[in-house]
Amino acid sequence: MKKFFALILAVVMIFALAACGGSSNNPTPAPAPAEPAPAPEPAPAPPEEIEGEFFPGIKDEDIPEILLRKAGRVESAELIPSDDPEFTSEIIIVLTDAPMHFYSILSDHYNVAAISSELPLEEDQERFYSFDWGEIVLSNKELLINESKIQIHARVF
């Protein structure tokens, strides 16, 4: 019985090889050459303004520690000399796509470290925080509700 199955298996294998093989009388056409794949685009160069890791455009050591908190995406961050003679510089940060609850978290974060603060309950008013190094003005909550943005304006002595 084993010899019989071996013989049948051998015959099936011979027919399978014959079916797969091609004859030299009927050459198959060569496949069309494939178009070359487009060269990958080089990665864009990082913007020149990046100086720090936390807020692009501002050196990390120039940012008061209390400002090192963010959520969402940094739309802009700049450090400029202050026009107010009472302050040396100003830091303006705009965050976009921040979650709605982040406004309260950020406000509490500033309030805990502040010497004094003004926290109006109305959503259309800014919040003010005073520190030994300067002050922070946090944009009103309506800006977050209407435009999905939070603006932080710090003035440094």
Side-chain angles (χ1 to χ4, degrees), residues 88-107:
T88 60
S89 60
E90 297 184 24
I91 300 169
I92 302 168
I93 301 163
V94 178
L95 303 173
T96 59
D97 305 324
M100 190 59 67
H101 67 280
F102 182 68
Y103 185 88
S104 298
I105 293 171
L106 193 58
S107 179

Side-chain angles (χ1 to χ4, degrees), residues 41-70:
E41 294 183 24
E48 295 289 327
E49 71 216 22
I50 291 181
E51 293 183 13
E53 294 177 9
F54 205 82
F55 290 113
I58 304 175
K59 295 178 183 173
D60 290 347
E61 61 266 12
D62 292 337
I63 302 172
E65 188 175 334
I66 192 73
L67 291 175
L68 297 180
R69 179 168 246 178
K70 63 182 175 183

Side-chain angles (χ1 to χ4, degrees), residues 102-152:
F102 182 68
Y103 185 88
S104 298
I105 293 171
L106 193 58
S107 179
D108 291 344
H109 175 67
Y110 294 156
N111 194 38
V112 167
I115 296 170
S116 66
S117 57
E118 293 178 37
L119 308 174
L121 296 176
E122 294 81 15
E123 293 182 346
D124 64 340
Q125 294 185 357
E126 298 174 327
R127 295 183 176 195
F128 299 88
Y129 308 89
S130 298
F131 302 89
D132 58 356
W133 54 265
E135 64 185 23
I136 292 177
V137 178
L138 183 62
S139 63
N140 60 45
K141 196 170 185 179
E142 279 189 348
L143 184 64
L144 178 60
I145 293 169
N146 297 332
E147 298 181 33
S148 300
K149 293 182 181 182
I150 295 175
Q151 181 174 329
I152 303 154

Side-chain angles (χ1 to χ4, degrees), residues 78-84 87-92 153 156:
E78 61 181 330
L79 173 66
I80 56 174
S82 180
D83 292 335
D84 187 335
F87 302 100
T88 60
S89 60
E90 297 184 24
I91 300 169
I92 302 168
H153 186 174
V156 181

